[in-house]
Amino acid sequence: MKKLIVANWKLNPLTESEAVSLARKIDHKNVVVCPPFPFLPAVRKVLKRAALGAQDVFWEPHGAYTGEVSGLMLKSVGARYVIIGHSERRAYFGESDDAINEKIHAALASGLKVIVCVGEPRAVRRWGFMAARRFVARQLKRDLRGVKEKVIVAYEPIWAIGSGTSDKPEETVRMAMFIKKFCAKRFALRSVSVLYGGSVKPGNARGFLIRKEINGALVGGASLKASEFKKIVQAAGK
Ligand code: PGA
C-alpha cells in the first residue's frame, strides 16, 4: 500500500506567493498539502499531483459563528482532507474531545477525509508505553464516538512534535497496531490507516516508512523546506 505524506504547514508561510512557490516544489503523488485557510485556493491551482487539505474545520455548515470555516466551504475550494484535533489546537485553543468528535462527524458528512491526531504528553510517556496506550485509547474512544466511516489516525506523541526527538519506530509500530485493533474492535472500523508525526526528518523518515504497520507521516517543520520534504517523500517510495 502506498504511504501518505501529509505536509502540515501550521501558521506558515507568511504570504500567498511563498505558499504557491512551496506548493509547486512539493507537488508529488500520495502527498497532502495543508496550507493555512487563506492560501487554499491559490495552492489548489498549482497542485497537479498532490491533494489539498485543511488544518481544521468547524462543526456547523454555516451560520452565526464568527471566524469559523465549515467542511462545505473547504470542499468548495477543493480540499479533500482535513486535519482534526491536532495537539496544538487542543493545547492553545482548548479543543476538547467532544468538540473534536463533532468536527469529525461534520467533516465526514461534508465528504472530507479526516486525519484525526492523537498522542500523549511527555509526563504520560514517562510512565511507559502502556500508560501512553491508555491515554491514546481514551482519546480515540471520545473522538471517534459514533463514527462509522473510515478515518486516518495520526499518532503524534506531543513530546516529539517540533522537538527534534522522534519516537522510536518500533514503539510507533506497537502503537499503530494497537490503534488499528482498537478502531476495529470498538468502532468496527476496519483497516484504519495510521500515520506517524513528530519530528519526521529526512534522516529518520525511512525508519518509520519501511514498516508496514505505519501508513505514512504527518510532517510539520520539514514540510516547509522543499528539499527536506522531497527526501521524506522519496523515503516513502522506496
Ligand atoms: P513536526 O510537527 O514535524 O514539526 O514535529 C508535526 C506536527 O505537528 O504535525
Side-chain angles (χ1 to χ4, degrees):
M1 208 169 83
K2 284 278 174 217
K3 308 282 176 171
L4 190 69
I5 311 295
V6 183
N8 176 16
W9 288 355
K10 309 189 181 184
L11 191 57
N12 301 287
L14 272 181
T15 63
E16 185 184 84
S17 63
E18 286 172 275
V20 164
S21 141
L22 178 58
R24 278 207 176 94
K25 291 182 199 145
I26 65 167
D27 182 22
H28 297 281
K29 261 174 48 185
N30 305 309
V31 162
V32 182
V33 181
C34 302
F37 289 139
F39 304 148
L40 284 167
V43 167
R44 178 208 187 173
K45 262 192 217 147
V46 298
L47 293 181
K48 302 237 158 27
R49 287 170 281 267
L52 188 68
Q55 300 172 19
D56 187 26
V57 64
F58 187 53
W59 55 76
E60 293 293 343
H62 57 83
Y65 303 100
T66 303
E68 292 298 337
V69 172
S70 76
L72 293 176
M73 292 171 182
L74 293 175
K75 278 290 278 189
S76 87
V77 294
R80 286 175 50 204
Y81 291 80
V82 61
I83 298 170
I84 297 180
H86 190 281
S87 65
E88 286 151 15
R89 297 221 51 89
R90 295 179 191 252
Y92 306 140
F93 306 97
E95 260 184 34
S96 64
D97 289 306
D98 285 344
I100 289 161
N101 179 254
E102 291 213 47
K103 289 184 174 192
I104 294 174
H105 280 287
L108 290 171
S110 315
L112 291 163
K113 292 190 184 179
V114 167
I115 302 165
V116 54
C117 301
V118 295
E120 80 288 352
R122 192 183 294 281
V124 169
R125 186 57 168 248
R126 282 214 187 95
W127 289 96
F129 179 80
M130 291 312 283
R133 219 178 86 159
R134 273 195 302 276
F135 187 93
V136 167
R138 206 176 58 229
Q139 286 183 318
L140 288 172
K141 206 159 71 189
R142 295 172 180 176
D143 296 350
L144 296 181
R145 195 178 347 105
V147 170
K148 298 205 163 48
E149 278 175 70
K150 212 147 86 176
V151 294
I152 298 164
V153 177
Y155 170 59
E156 299 206 299
I158 296 169
W159 48 270
I161 296 175
S163 67
T165 311
S166 68
D167 195 15
K168 294 189 184 76
E170 46 297 0
E171 300 276 277
T172 305
V173 165
R174 280 174 80 192
M175 189 63 89
M177 286 167 64
F178 168 71
I179 290 170
K180 286 170 201 244
K181 230 187 257 164
F182 187 87
C183 289
K185 257 178 104 176
R186 177 119 199 164
F187 298 104
L189 297 174
R190 309 259 156 229
S191 51
V192 158
S193 290
V194 177
L195 314 180
Y196 169 73
S199 297
V200 175
K201 306 278 175 223
N204 63 19
R206 200 167 142 66
F208 294 96
L209 295 169
I210 53 167
R211 313 301 293 256
K212 67 174 189 312
E213 297 84 356
I214 303 172
N215 305 102
L218 180 46
V219 186
S223 73
L224 296 168
K225 298 183 192 117
S227 60
E228 288 197 14
F229 191 76
K230 267 188 204 158
K231 285 183 194 144
I232 295 170
V233 172
Q234 278 162 5
K238 278 183 195 154

